C-alpha cells in the first residue's frame, strides 16, 4: 500500500469497512487488562528492577494471573507508552547492518555452527569511591536459542577466573556448542608466539565447546561481546555509587537473580529438550592439554585487509600467523575454521548465504 493511503486510513475515526469499532477502542483485551499491565510496569519501576522491558512485564502478568493468557508484547508496549511509563526510547537503526551486508559478513555460517551460542568477556576495569584498586568483572550471556545475562566480580582478569565462572555457570545452565570471545590475551594466549593454543581454549575444547573469535577492532560486528560492557555500565554501575566490594557483589547477585528468573520462565520448555549438556559437578578441568583433537575446531571471524607491516600484503591474521589471500577478497569478511585433528585451516567466503572455500592450508599448532 502507498504511504498516502496508510495516512488517510489511520486518520479515520472509524474503519471504512464498517466493522463496528471506533479508533482507539480495545478489540482483544479489556481496559482491566491494560490497568493490570500499567500497574505491573509501575511496580517494576518502583522496586528499581534492573529489567523493565515488556517481556518482563509479560512474565509478571503470567505469574500473577495464572488462569489468564498473558497479553501480547505489542499490547504491553502500547499500554506502557500511553501511560507515559516508557523507560527507554526506541532503538535507532544504525549503519552497522548495511556495513555488515556490504562486506559479506558470514552470518549464515556462524548461525549454523550450533543451536546454542554464548559469549563471554571481561568488562573494563572499574574503580570504587575511595579506592585506587581496580575492580575486575566477568560476564557471560547466551545470544542464540537461550537468553540470560550474568555478571560476577572476580579477583583478576585471568584464565582461572574465567574457567571457574563458566564451569560454575554450566553446572545448571546448558553448555553451548559455540562460545564467542574477543581476541584478548587471556582468551587467545601465546603472546607473540604463533599458533599456540591457550589454556582457556583447551578448557573449551575439552568441554566440547567450539571457541569462536570475534573480528578484532570492529565492534559493530560483535554486539554480543561489546554489549557486555555497555549492559554492565548502564544497568548496574552507573546507577550506584559503590564504596565497598560486598556492595558490588550484592548488586551483581540481584541483577543475576532477575535475569535468571526470566530465563527459567521464558525457556521452561526448551530446558526440557533432549540432548542438553551440562558441566558435571566436581569434574576436573584440563587446561594443560587436549583430551582429543577428533572433531575439534576453532572458528575465526576476520576482515581481509592490506597490512602495512607486510608491505601492503593482503590477508588475515589467525593466532598470530599471517595468511595471505587473493586481492579480490580485500575489504570483506571471511570465516576461518581450524580443524585441529587435520591441522588444516579452511577459509570461507559467504555471499548471500552461499559459501565458497577460498583457501585451505596446513596449519601446525602448539597444544
Amino acid at each position: 500500500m502507498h504511504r498516502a493511503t496508510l495516512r488517510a486510513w489511520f486518520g479515520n475515526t472509524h474503519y471504512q469497512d464498517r466493522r463496528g469499532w471506533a479508533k482507539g477502542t480495545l478489540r482483544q483485551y479489556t481496559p482491566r487488562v491494560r490497568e493490570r499491565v500499567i500497574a505491573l510496569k509501575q511496580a517494576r519501576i518502583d522496586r528499581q528492577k534492573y529489567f523493565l522491558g515488556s517481556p518482563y512485564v509479560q512474565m509478571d502478568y503470567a505469574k500473577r494471573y495464572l488462569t489468564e493468557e498473558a497479553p501480547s508484547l505489542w499490547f504491553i508496549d502500547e499500554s506502557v507508552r500511553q501511560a507515559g511509563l516508557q523507560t527507554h526510547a526506541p532503538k535507532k537503526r544504525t549503519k552497522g547492518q548495511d556495513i555488515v551486508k556490504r562486506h559479506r559478513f558470514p552470518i549464515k555460517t556462524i548461525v549454523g555452527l550450533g543451536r546454542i551460542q554464548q559469549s563471554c568477556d571481561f568488562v573494563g576495569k572499574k574503580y570504587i569511591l575511595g579506592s585506587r584498586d581496580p575492580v575486575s568483572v566477568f560476564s557471560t550471556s547466551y545470544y542464540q536459542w537461550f537468553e540470560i545475562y550474568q555478571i560476577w566480580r572476580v579477583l583478576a582478569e585471568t584464565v582461572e577466573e574465567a574457567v571457574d565462572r563458566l564451569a560454575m555457570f554450566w553446572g545448571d545452565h546448558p553448555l553451548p556448542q559455540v562460545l564467542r570471545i574477543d581476541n584478548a590475551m587471556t582468551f587467545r594466549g601465546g603472546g607473540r608466539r604463533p599458533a599456540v593454543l591457550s589454556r582457556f581454549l583447551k578448557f573449551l575444547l575439552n568441554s566440547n565447546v567450539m571457541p569462536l573469535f570475534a573480528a578484532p577492532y570492529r565492534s559493530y560486528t560483535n554486539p554480543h561481546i561489546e554489549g557486555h560492557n555497555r549492559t554492565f555500565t548502564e544497568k548496574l554501575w552507573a546507577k550506584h555509587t559503590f564504596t565497598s566490594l560486598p556492595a558490588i557483589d550484592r548488586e551483581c547477585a540481584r541483577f543475576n537473580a532477575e535475569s535468571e528468573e526470566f530465563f527459567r520462565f521464558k525457556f521452561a520448555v526448551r530446558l526440557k529438550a533432549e540432548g542438553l549438556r551440562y558441566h558435571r559437578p566436581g569434574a576436573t578441568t584440563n587446561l594443560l592439554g587436549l583430551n582429543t583433537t577428533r572433531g575439534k575446531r576453532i572458528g575465526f571471524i576476520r576482515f581481509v585487509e592490506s597490512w602495512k607491516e607486510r608491505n601492503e600484503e593482503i590477508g588475515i591474521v589467525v593466532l598470530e600467523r599471517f595468511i595471505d589471500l587473493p586481492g579480490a577478497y580485500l575489504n570483506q569478511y571471511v570465516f576461518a575454521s581450524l580443524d585441529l585433528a587435520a591441522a588444516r585451516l579452511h577459509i570461507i567466503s559467504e555471499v548471500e548465504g552461499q559459501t565458497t572455500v577460498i583457501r585451505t592450508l596446513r596449519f601446525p599448532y602448539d597444544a
Side-chain angles (χ1 to χ4, degrees):
M1 297 179 69
H2 292 290
R3 185 174 298 177
T5 303
L6 290 173
R7 284 202 202 99
W9 183 59
F10 287 131
N12 293 333
T13 57
H14 290 77
Y15 290 95
Q16 293 180 356
D17 61 1
R18 303 185 186 281
R19 283 180 285 181
W21 59 76
K23 186 175 182 180
T25 303
L26 296 176
R27 285 177 277 168
Q28 183 176 356
Y29 303 107
T30 66
R32 186 180 183 186
V33 174
R34 171 163 284 172
E35 292 172 3
R36 288 173 174 176
V37 166
I38 294 172
L40 290 170
K41 174 74 172 189
Q42 186 66 60
R44 280 196 162 262
I45 295 173
D46 293 343
R47 287 181 288 172
Q48 298 184 331
K49 292 283 190 177
Y50 283 112
F51 298 93
L52 302 172
S54 293
Y56 296 86
V57 175
Q58 188 182 59
M59 174 186 68
D60 292 343
Y61 194 102
K63 289 188 172 185
R64 175 75 63 84
Y65 306 104
L66 298 176
T67 61
E68 299 183 20
E69 181 181 355
S72 68
L73 294 177
W74 180 90
F75 178 79
I76 296 173
D77 285 337
E78 187 67 9
S79 299
V80 166
R81 183 186 65 79
Q82 291 185 11
L85 294 179
Q86 272 186 315
T87 47
H88 290 286
K91 291 183 179 180
K92 296 181 180 180
R93 184 177 177 181
T94 64
K95 297 180 180 179
Q97 295 173 330
D98 295 332
I99 293 174
V100 166
K101 182 178 181 180
R102 186 168 66 249
H103 291 305
R104 312 300 188 189
F105 192 77
I107 295 176
K108 187 174 180 180
T109 300
I110 295 169
V111 170
L113 293 176
R115 179 175 62 177
I116 305 173
Q117 298 193 20
Q118 184 178 343
S119 63
C120 73
D121 192 20
F122 284 102
V123 175
K125 293 184 183 298
K126 305 295 182 181
Y127 293 84
I128 63 176
L129 192 65
S131 174
R132 295 183 179 181
D133 296 330
V135 176
S136 298
V137 177
F138 181 76
S139 62
T140 189
S141 66
Y142 292 118
Y143 63 86
Q144 185 167 297
W145 215 64
F146 287 127
E147 178 185 341
I148 192 175
Y149 197 103
Q150 299 284 277
I151 302 170
W152 302 278
R153 182 183 65 83
V154 293
L155 296 178
E157 297 182 1
T158 63
V159 172
E160 289 76 14
E161 290 288 350
V163 167
D164 287 347
R165 290 297 173 176
L166 287 174
M168 177 190 67
F169 178 78
W170 288 333
D172 55 2
H173 298 79
L175 278 155
Q177 282 80 40
V178 177
L179 183 73
R180 190 182 292 201
I181 51 180
D182 64 17
N183 296 269
M185 190 71 68
T186 304
F187 302 136
R188 188 182 78 243
R192 295 185 178 275
R193 294 171 55 202
V196 176
L197 301 190
S198 69
R199 292 181 298 149
F200 185 77
L201 293 179
K202 293 170 188 174
F203 161 69
L204 296 182
L205 294 165
N206 288 334
S207 300
N208 293 317
V209 175
M210 177 184 178
L212 173 60
F213 282 98
Y217 308 119
R218 282 173 169 76
S219 60
Y220 60 86
T221 67
N222 304 313
H224 314 300
I225 290 176
E226 298 300 329
H228 284 267
N229 197 325
R230 183 175 61 254
T231 299
F232 173 78
T233 300
E234 292 180 358
K235 284 188 173 291
L236 195 149
W237 192 261
K239 293 184 177 181
H240 302 277
T241 301
F242 293 109
T243 58
S244 69
L245 298 181
I248 298 175
D249 295 339
R250 284 194 298 271
E251 289 304 316
C252 286
R254 190 164 73 88
F255 179 97
N256 292 343
E258 288 186 30
S259 185
E260 180 77 23
E261 180 188 18
F262 183 73
F263 170 72
R264 298 293 171 183
F265 167 78
K266 183 175 181 179
F267 302 105
V269 175
R270 291 187 179 182
L271 286 168
K272 297 177 182 178
E274 295 183 359
L276 297 181
R277 304 173 300 130
Y278 295 87
H279 193 276
R280 291 181 290 107
T284 58
T285 303
N286 184 7
L287 306 182
L288 301 179
L290 294 176
N291 298 337
T292 179
T293 60
R294 184 177 180 180
K296 307 296 184 184
R297 293 186 300 156
I298 303 175
F300 305 84
I301 305 168
R302 291 294 183 261
F303 190 73
V304 183
E305 301 177 75
S306 176
W307 294 77
K308 294 181 180 180
E309 301 88 343
R310 300 185 63 89
N311 296 321
E312 306 300 332
E313 195 170 0
I314 295 171
I316 60 174
V317 171
V318 173
L319 293 180
E320 301 300 324
R321 182 176 288 165
F322 181 81
I323 310 296
D324 63 281
L325 293 175
Y329 298 97
L330 179 64
N331 294 330
Q332 76 154 71
Y333 288 94
V334 294
F335 180 80
S337 176
L338 174 57
D339 182 339
L340 296 177
R344 298 188 71 80
L345 186 71
H346 306 277
I347 303 174
I348 298 168
S349 173
E350 180 183 312
V351 180
E352 297 182 352
Q354 301 298 314
T355 59
T356 303
V357 178
I358 61 176
R359 189 170 180 198
T360 298
L361 64 153
R362 289 186 65 255
F363 199 94
Y365 58 89
D366 183 3

